[in-house]
Amino acid sequence: MDKKRVFLTRTLHDFALKELKKKYRIEVHSGKIPIPRKKLASKIKEVEGLICFPYDVIDKALIDKANNLKVISTYSVGFDHIDVEHAKTRKIRVGYTPEVLTDATADLAFSLMLDIMRRVSEGDRIIRNGDWRQIYGAYDYVGTDLQKKTLGIFGLGRIGTAIAKRAKAFDMKLIYHNRKPVSKSKERELGIKFVSFNQLISQSDVISIHVPHTKQTDLLFDKKVFSKMKKTSFLINTARGKIVNEMDLVSALKKKEIAGAGLDVFASEPIGKRHPLTKIQNVTLGPHIGSSTMETRAKMAEITVNNLHLGIRGKKPKFSVGY
Ligand code: DGY
């Protein structure tokens, strides 16, 4: 019997490719990343399985090109790049990689928080530019304590919860906003209080975003929100770039309407050195590395392959979006 065909929009770990090759006829895109849409459209036509990445836009028009596709397995926890509803109407399963990247992403969010509040990267830039002239002055390179500050978690899901646990160890006060409050016992365990969105933005010393990018969260953090935040507050975003209006953020940072930001995600990635955010000192930037540890990325590959195995046989992937 002919092997089923699987297309990968980019290569994965050797062990994952080996595993896939045992069962399928695989083809891996090499060359321009993201894969040009035209090429992806021609591949999706032929294959039973697709492995994609968070920057591959798998929309309705693309899904409609598929003749035999059974499963889309994304190497990410985010799935806002896939028209999941449409895939469902075409009986195409969608797999994703939650859980395994919770700690890695929470660590990164927390490190951005420490970095921007204690001006670590800024200090590094100062030294590399040969600008370190004075030592130990009363006002030299002073940052902000984390202890006793209020951390506002926007989205108390898996990653938000992992952030709360880390923040507790730093003796921070915790508030959160979700569409629905979590259980009272979880609130007690974490020592966290539910507040409205307006309270979250006006009371927090640091806000960390942990919600998906949806119609409701699109560009939610805009100039109106920044004007309600404390002038001494910080914004951390390791979720999705499009939740923040970047130009409004640039303006708020320049005008010192907020104190700083730590960002691992951007509206359009990668950003280049001409991006206005790179011209601002009170911001720490990361190249979308929330889940990027050796251990986590390997686990994500394992799940991506397992999701594909199940989906291609018409079964529900272990980590499945919806259907
Ligand atoms: C994801 O998995 O969606 C993350 O953004 C990757 O870091």
Side-chain angles (χ1 to χ4, degrees):
M1 206 172 79
D2 266 0
K3 279 182 170 174
K4 292 201 160 85
R5 285 156 305 175
V6 171
F7 184 71
L8 292 87
T9 63
R10 192 173 189 171
T11 196
L12 272 183
H13 302 71
D14 287 347
F15 78 83
L17 296 182
K18 213 167 132 193
E19 186 63 29
L20 289 167
K21 276 181 195 157
K22 281 189 210 158
K23 297 201 167 104
Y24 315 110
R25 214 163 88 207
I26 73 165
E27 189 185 342
V28 183
H29 168 68
S30 61
K32 202 166 177 283
I33 302 287
I35 181 173
R37 190 173 163 88
K38 226 170 141 186
K39 180 170 176 192
L40 182 52
S42 81
K43 295 295 164 192
I44 211 168
K45 244 185 212 163
E46 306 162 354
V47 296
E48 280 87 7
L50 174 72
I51 291 184
C52 65
F53 288 71
Y55 44 73
D56 296 318
V57 180
I58 316 287
D59 57 15
K60 181 173 184 294
L62 207 79
I63 291 171
D64 280 339
K65 301 268 183 230
N67 293 320
N68 303 308
L69 193 65
K70 300 279 179 297
V71 60
I72 301 166
S73 182
T74 185
Y75 183 63
S76 60
V77 67
F79 48 83
D80 54 317
H81 54 297
I82 302 170
D83 188 335
V84 173
E85 281 312 307
H86 191 62
K88 190 173 165 184
T89 66
R90 296 279 321 270
K91 298 219 170 343
I92 297 166
R93 307 273 191 184
V94 179
Y96 72 136
T97 65
E99 297 182 10
V100 290
L101 47 66
T102 301
D103 284 318
T105 309
D107 286 347
L108 199 269
F110 214 82
S111 67
L112 285 175
M113 201 186 308
L114 280 165
D115 186 293
I116 191 66
M117 291 176 77
R118 295 303 308 273
R119 304 173 64 176
V120 181
S121 295
E122 188 187 339
D124 181 84
R125 287 193 295 272
I126 286 168
I127 294 177
R128 285 174 201 269
N129 291 336
D131 291 334
W132 187 22
R133 304 196 205 292
Q134 320 275 358
I135 55 161
Y136 212 82
Y139 297 109
D140 284 348
Y141 317 120
V142 292
T144 305
D145 279 341
L146 274 75
Q147 291 74 24
K148 312 286 181 225
K149 295 295 185 317
T150 298
L151 169 63
I153 298 178
F154 183 45
L156 194 67
R158 294 186 196 94
I159 299 171
T161 301
I163 280 283
K165 288 181 182 159
R166 283 154 179 75
K168 239 175 129 177
F170 277 72
D171 200 18
M172 297 182 86
K173 294 182 198 150
L174 295 171
I175 56 178
Y176 77 101
H177 181 74
N178 263 7
R179 270 177 308 180
K180 274 200 317 214
V182 300
S183 69
K184 288 282 165 226
S185 66
K186 180 165 176 179
E187 285 185 354
R188 262 195 310 276
E189 185 197 324
L190 293 173
I192 198 166
K193 195 174 126 206
F194 178 81
V195 292
S196 69
F197 183 70
N198 274 327
Q199 287 169 323
L200 185 96
I201 58 176
S202 61
Q203 292 177 11
S204 298
D205 297 302
V206 198
I207 295 175
S208 196
I209 302 177
H210 300 288
V211 291
H213 175 238
T214 61
K215 275 194 196 113
Q216 289 72 35
T217 61
D218 185 57
L219 302 178
L220 180 62
F221 282 78
D222 61 3
K223 58 178 173 227
K224 232 167 106 189
V225 168
F226 299 132
S227 72
K228 291 179 187 161
M229 284 170 65
K230 294 183 186 177
K231 285 202 176 342
T232 49
S233 69
F234 298 86
L235 179 72
I236 308 297
N237 188 10
T238 52
R240 282 293 179 264
K242 287 181 182 155
I243 298 170
V244 174
N245 183 321
E246 271 171 11
M247 290 311 116
D248 286 358
L249 176 63
V250 166
S251 158
L253 289 166
K254 277 189 181 160
K255 290 195 218 144
K256 304 258 183 317
E257 278 176 358
I258 66 170
L263 310 170
D264 184 47
V265 287
F266 305 89
S268 170
E269 297 173 359
I271 62 166
K273 65 177 183 188
R274 287 206 184 86
H275 193 288
L277 281 165
T278 66
K279 314 290 177 222
I280 301 173
Q281 284 306 321
N282 50 337
V283 60
T284 297
L285 307 171
H288 201 148
I289 50 170
S291 61
S292 193
T293 67
M294 301 274 275
E295 299 86 346
T296 296
R297 284 285 166 91
K299 285 184 213 149
M300 287 168 69
E302 212 179 300
I303 292 181
T304 303
V305 169
N306 283 339
N307 283 339
L308 183 113
H309 280 333
L310 288 165
I312 216 164
R313 286 188 272 138
K315 300 204 163 127
K316 188 170 178 168
K318 175 154 182 228
F319 297 100
S320 153
V321 184
Y323 158 75

